[in-house]
Amino acid sequence: MQIELKDRNHPASLVAHRIKAKLTAFFRAEADRGGASDPDLLARQLILVFDGAGARAGIGADPMTGLIGPTVVTLLDAAGVR
């Protein structure tokens, strides 16, 4: 089940925002550790893929098999991650 909270100040929105910020920070740290040319951009791209994949899977839009891995590899390659 997925829901969308319109109120950015709702307690659930605040928790979700905090979790996404921590995950983005993790992606950024790993991107930096991997030598990404722009760790901030790569982290934002990865969180976009993460969120999009979660949303698509959550509504059963289509199977994720063969989509996420190649997309992330392309982003990592473009960012120069070793």
Side-chain angles (χ1 to χ4, degrees):
M1 173 196 249
Q2 292 185 350
I3 61 169
E4 182 177 344
L5 297 168
K6 303 285 185 191
D7 181 359
R8 294 182 58 85
N9 294 314
H10 187 281
S13 290
L14 298 174
V15 169
H17 188 280
R18 194 167 43 249
I19 290 169
K20 294 298 175 143
K22 286 182 180 184
L23 183 57
T24 303
F26 171 78
F27 286 157
R28 197 244 176 256
E30 291 299 302
D32 189 47
R33 203 166 70 114
S37 57
D38 187 344
D40 291 319
L41 176 60
L42 180 57
R44 291 175 54 225
Q45 291 170 326
L46 292 172
I47 201 71
L48 181 67
V49 171
F50 181 88
D51 286 346
R56 302 280 299 165
I59 63 170
D62 54 7
M64 295 291 105
T65 306
L67 293 175
I68 300 168
T71 301
V72 170
V73 167
T74 299
L75 291 173
L76 296 174
D77 286 347
V81 172
R82 302 180 295 272

